[in-house]
Amino acid sequence: MLNFLTHLPSIFISSVSQGFLWSFLAVGVYITFRLLDIPDMTTEGSFPLGGAIVSILILQGASPVISTSLAVLGGMLAGLITGLLHTKLKIPALLAGIITMTGLYSINSRIMANSATLSLIQQPTVFSWFEKILKQPHLSIIILGGMLLLILLPLLYLFFQTEIGLAIIATGDNLTMSQANGINTNSTQLLGYMLANGLIALSGALLTQQKGFSDLNAGIGTIVIGLASIIVAEVLFKQKPLLTRLFTIVLGTVVYRLILAFILELPIQANDNKFFSALFLAGCLCLPLLQQQEKKLKKGVTYHG
Amino acid sequence: MANLLELNNVNHYFHLNTVHETHVLQDIQLTMKEGEFVTIIGGNGAGKSTLLNSIAGTFPVTSGNILLNQEDITKKNVVQRSQFISRVFQDPKAGTAVRLTVGENLAIAACRGKKRTLSRAKTAKNRSFFIEKLKGLNMGLEEKIDTEIGLLSGGQRQSITLLMATLNKPKLLLLDEHTAALDPKSSHIIMNKTKELIDQQHLTTFMITHNMEDALNYGQRLIMLHQGKIVVDLDETAKKNLTVADLLTLFQEQSGHSIQDDALLLQ
Ligand SMILES: Nc1ncnc2c1ncn2[C@@H]1O[C@H](COP(=O)(O)OP(=O)(O)O)[C@@H](O)[C@H]1O
Ligand SMILES: [Mg+2]
C-alpha cells in the first residue's frame, strides 16, 4: 500500500496520458455503440491496423504525421468494409464486425511483414518533437493528445450538428422515422462506421508510437476498454449534451485507466487482472439499476413478486 | 384531372411459397385524384396497413405496378419515395427520434426530399420558422422546441409527427390510424389539426381509420377493404348521406360478418 502511495503521482500522470490516447478509441466506440446503436467488433481489428500501418511506414522512413494520417485512412477503410457487409449484404452488425476483425488479423500480419511485433525504438514519432523540448515523455503525450482532443472533439460535435451529422444520429435513434424522412440509412451507417474506425485506428497509431512498438494482438479486449470508458463517463456524468458527453468520455477513459492501474497494484496474480476488470465493468453496468432501487426504497415503494 | 396515384393490379403475398403464405392484397385497382382525401376502413387484418405500406414502399409488392404522377415508382424504396410521400404512423413513437429535440426532429423533416449537406441543421432562420409552425398547432409546443421528444406525451408527439409530415408539402400524405393510440380527447384534437393542415395545403391524403364516424366525417371518398379486396368505394355524394348505421350494414353485407366478429370499433 505504501508502495502504491509513493507511486501515486507517476501512476496518475501515466493514467492521464494513456487515457488521453485511449479516448480516441472510446469516442469511436461511442459513435457506433451509442449514436448508431450498432455493436461494432471491427474495433478489435482496426485498432491494431492503425498500429501496424503507422509502424511499418515509420520504419520505411515516412514522416510520423503522414504515417498516422494513413493509419486513420486504413481504419476508415476497415469501417467501410464492415459497413458494406452490414448494409449491402445484410449481415447482422455483430457478425459483420467479427468478419472484418477476423480478416484484418491476417492483413495486419501482412502489413507488419509477418512479425508479431515491430519495434519503433530510436524511430521518430509524432511525440518526438515535444519530447525533445519538454524532456518529459508523459507530459508531451498529455500536451499533444490534449491538443488533438481539443481540436477533434469540437470538430466532431460540429459535424453532428450538420444536416448529414444529425441524420446519422437520427438513424441510430429511429430507423423507420429516418427512412420516412428521406435519410439514406445505408449511407449514414457507412459514414458512422468509417468515422468510428478512423478514430479507433488513430488511437492504435498513437498508442503504438507512445509504447514504441506495434503488436499484432493489441486489439484483444479493446472493445471492452471502449465500452468501459463510455460507461464510466455515463455513470459519473448523467444526461449530458453531445459536446459535453464527448469530453466526459475522455474523463471516463482516464478514470478507467486509473482503476486499471489500481487493480494492477493489488496483490493478485497478473492473469487475474482481467477478472477484476470484468467484475468492475459488471459493477458499473448495474449501477444505474442499483440507484433506481435506492430511489424506490427512499420513496417507500416496494414491489413484491 | 390527371390521377395522382394509380395502383394497377397490385397483389401482395407475405411468406410467398411457404406454408405461411398469405395473399394480403388481391388485385387492387385504385386511383386517386390530386387533392383527394380518401378514408379507408376495414376489419382487423383486412390489409389496410399493408396497402399503405405498399404505397410508401416499405416492401416491394409481389406483382402489379404503382404510379405516382404518371411515374412508375413500383421499384423505388421508402427513401426514394419519401421525396413525394410522407406518413404518420399509428405508434406515436414511430414517427419521431426520441433522443433528439423537437427542433432537431423538425430540422430532419425539413430536409425530406432535399439533398442533405454539411450546412448546419439548426439555424436561426429555420428555428423561427419551426416556432411559427408549432404555434399553429395551438398546443404550446413552441415552448418545447428544445425539449427531447422522449419527454413529450403521445398526443404531443403525434402532432409533431403530423407537422413533420407536412413541413415540406408532400404529394401524398399517408395516415395509418394515427389517432388510434391516443386518448379520446387528444385523438379529437389531432383529427382536427389533421383536417386543418390538409385543407390549408390541399393535400392528397389517404387515411386509415378504425373510427366509422371519422371515416364519414372526414374526406371526400370512403373505401372499405375486406380480405385484401376493395369491396366498397363511395364518392362524396354517396358518402354524404350515409350514417354510421348504414356503414355497419354495408360492412355486414360485404363481408358476411357481423361487426362484432371483426373488431371494427365504434367510438
Ligand atoms: N410483415 C408481415 N409479415 C407477415 N405477415 C404480415 C405482415 N404484415 C401484415 N401481415 C399479415 O397481413 C394481413 C393484413 O395485415 P394488415 O395490413 O396489418 O391489416 P390491417 O392494417 O387491415 O389490420 C394480416 O393477416 C397480417 O397478419
Ligand atoms: Mg393496421
Side-chain angles (χ1 to χ4, degrees):
Chain A
M1 202 61 207
L2 193 69
N3 202 18
F4 176 70
L5 286 180
T6 52
H7 282 166
L8 204 58
S10 76
I11 286 176
F12 182 77
I13 196 156
S14 84
S15 297
V16 173
S17 67
Q18 293 261 316
F20 275 18
L21 301 188
W22 279 105
S23 58
F24 294 98
L25 171 129
V27 168
V29 173
Y30 180 79
I31 291 174
T32 39
F33 189 67
R34 281 290 191 248
L35 294 185
L36 274 179
D37 199 18
I38 288 174
D40 180 21
M41 296 297 292
T42 316
T43 311
E44 308 225 333
S46 53
F47 181 83
L49 174 68
I53 293 177
V54 90
S55 56
I56 199 76
L57 287 177
I58 288 179
L59 285 173
Q60 309 250 330
S63 97
V65 172
I66 289 179
S67 310
T68 308
S69 312
L70 288 173
V72 173
L73 277 181
M76 292 174 85
L77 199 63
L80 178 68
I81 290 173
T82 309
L84 288 173
L85 290 175
H86 178 52
T87 58
K88 297 287 180 216
L89 301 184
K90 309 287 174 213
I91 297 173
L94 201 58
L95 288 176
I98 290 173
I99 290 172
T100 311
M101 176 190 94
T102 308
L104 273 176
Y105 190 85
S106 302
I107 291 174
N108 291 343
S109 172
R110 285 262 182 168
I111 293 174
M112 290 168 67
N114 293 320
S115 38
T117 59
L118 284 180
S119 169
L120 287 178
I121 305 292
Q122 305 297 333
Q123 296 292 333
T125 70
V126 285
F127 304 109
S128 305
W129 189 79
F130 285 88
E131 271 171 29
K132 228 177 268 164
I133 295 176
L134 295 166
K135 310 252 183 299
Q136 278 265 354
H138 281 308
L139 198 63
S140 49
I141 293 162
I142 291 177
I143 290 180
L144 183 63
M147 272 174 23
L148 257 177
L149 286 170
L150 276 177
I151 296 168
L152 276 184
L153 298 192
L155 272 180
L156 207 56
Y157 169 72
L158 282 179
F159 171 69
F160 282 114
Q161 297 292 103
T162 65
E163 291 170 354
I164 293 176
L166 201 59
I168 294 180
I169 301 182
T171 303
D173 193 318
N174 187 337
L175 204 68
T176 313
M177 170 270 192
S178 299
Q179 291 173 345
N181 282 286
I183 295 174
N184 185 336
T185 52
N186 282 350
S187 310
T188 46
Q189 288 186 341
L190 279 178
L191 256 175
Y193 268 118
M194 291 172 71
L195 209 55
N197 285 290
L199 285 166
I200 291 162
L202 174 63
S203 187
L206 292 176
L207 278 158
T208 294
Q209 294 174 73
Q210 181 257 324
K211 287 191 179 125
F213 67 94
S214 60
D215 177 0
L216 186 59
N217 294 311
I220 298 170
T222 46
I223 192 95
V224 173
I225 293 174
L227 290 179
S229 306
I230 294 167
I231 289 157
V232 170
E234 287 173 344
V235 168
L236 292 180
F237 311 94
K238 292 188 184 66
Q239 298 275 333
K240 295 290 175 219
L242 187 58
L243 184 61
T244 321
R245 173 54 72 222
L246 293 177
F247 280 102
T248 62
I249 290 173
V250 178
L251 291 179
T253 315
V254 169
V255 170
Y256 185 59
R257 297 308 318 171
L258 276 170
I259 292 164
L260 286 184
F262 176 73
I263 292 174
L264 268 177
E265 294 290 322
L266 292 176
I268 49 174
Q269 280 187 24
N271 278 338
D272 291 343
N273 289 339
K274 292 262 184 226
F275 178 78
F276 285 95
S277 308
L279 208 62
F280 166 76
L281 197 60
C284 275
L285 277 168
C286 65
L287 209 60
L289 190 76
L290 292 177
Q291 283 167 341
Q292 252 175 20
Q293 302 253 315
E294 200 180 328
K295 257 188 223 156
K296 271 181 205 157
L297 286 176
K298 272 186 192 151
K299 277 187 194 158
V301 183
T302 51
Y303 293 105
H304 302 283
Chain B
M1 212 193 300
N3 289 327
L4 181 94
L5 179 74
E6 218 176 301
L7 272 72
N8 291 318
N9 249 323
V10 169
N11 282 279
H12 190 68
Y13 293 81
F14 282 114
H15 309 294
L16 189 62
N17 299 328
T18 71
V19 285
H20 301 295
E21 180 177 302
T22 41
H23 192 180
V24 180
L25 297 181
Q26 307 187 10
D27 297 321
I28 298 285
Q29 196 68 39
L30 174 75
T31 56
M32 269 173 84
K33 297 211 179 336
E34 189 150 2
E36 210 170 25
F37 180 177
V38 180
T39 58
I40 173 159
I41 58 169
N44 263 342
K48 306 181 296 295
S49 296
T50 306
L51 179 58
L52 215 80
N53 287 336
S54 69
I55 297 171
T58 311
F59 42 73
V61 291
T62 312
S63 69
N65 57 40
I66 303 171
L67 307 183
L68 189 80
N69 265 345
Q70 269 79 254
E71 189 199 343
D72 192 336
I73 58 165
T74 318
K75 295 215 158 58
K76 292 194 166 164
N77 63 25
V78 174
V79 176
Q80 292 163 324
R81 293 188 203 185
S82 75
Q83 194 179 348
F84 315 106
I85 298 176
S86 70
R87 60 189 309 197
V88 182
F89 305 86
Q90 176 171 351
D91 178 4
K93 289 194 182 74
T96 46
V98 260
R99 285 177 300 168
L100 297 182
T101 64
V102 171
E104 287 166 338
N105 272 281
L106 289 169
I108 281 170
C111 287
R112 188 176 53 77
K114 297 178 187 161
K115 195 164 171 50
R116 277 161 224 269
T117 66
L118 283 176
S119 50
R120 287 190 79 99
K122 292 188 293 179
T123 59
K125 196 169 141 237
N126 68 17
R127 187 183 172 85
S128 51
F129 173 63
F130 296 157
I131 288 179
E132 263 336 285
K133 288 282 181 183
L134 287 166
K135 274 186 184 154
L137 287 176
N138 266 327
M139 297 172 86
L141 284 171
E142 61 277 9
E143 318 223 321
K144 307 249 180 210
I145 187 161
D146 294 317
T147 306
E148 271 179 40
I149 288 271
L151 300 171
L152 302 185
S153 73
Q156 288 173 321
R157 286 173 75 158
Q158 211 58 332
S159 9
I160 287 163
T161 311
L162 196 60
L163 198 59
M164 286 167 65
T166 53
L167 208 55
N168 297 344
K169 184 181 171 183
K171 290 209 184 308
L172 177 64
L173 174 65
L174 303 175
L175 308 169
D176 187 352
E177 303 196 33
H178 68 305
T179 64
L182 307 176
D183 60 272
K185 189 164 160 256
S186 312
S187 164
H188 189 71
I189 295 173
I190 305 292
M191 251 339 286
N192 283 336
K193 293 290 163 207
T194 307
K195 182 171 164 36
E196 220 175 276
L197 286 166
I198 290 170
D199 288 348
Q200 272 168 17
Q201 301 190 31
H202 310 289
L203 295 174
T204 314
T205 308
F206 201 53
M207 178 176 88
I208 299 177
T209 177
H210 62 245
N211 185 320
M212 296 273 195
E213 288 195 37
D214 283 351
L216 288 175
N217 292 341
Y218 298 95
Q220 298 105 32
R221 185 172 155 197
L222 188 149
I223 285 175
M224 190 184 287
L225 207 64
H226 180 65
Q227 292 179 349
K229 291 195 182 97
I230 294 175
V231 289
V232 171
D233 190 342
L234 303 171
D235 64 10
E236 197 163 9
T237 35
K239 185 169 172 282
K240 213 171 248 165
N241 305 316
L242 223 61
T243 63
V244 170
D246 297 336
L247 206 54
L248 291 178
T249 323
L250 203 56
F251 182 84
Q252 209 159 341
E253 279 169 18
Q254 292 302 329
S255 67
H257 294 278
S258 84
I259 215 75
Q260 285 83 2
D261 295 344
D262 299 78
L264 253 184
L265 302 174
L266 270 175
Q267 284 184 351

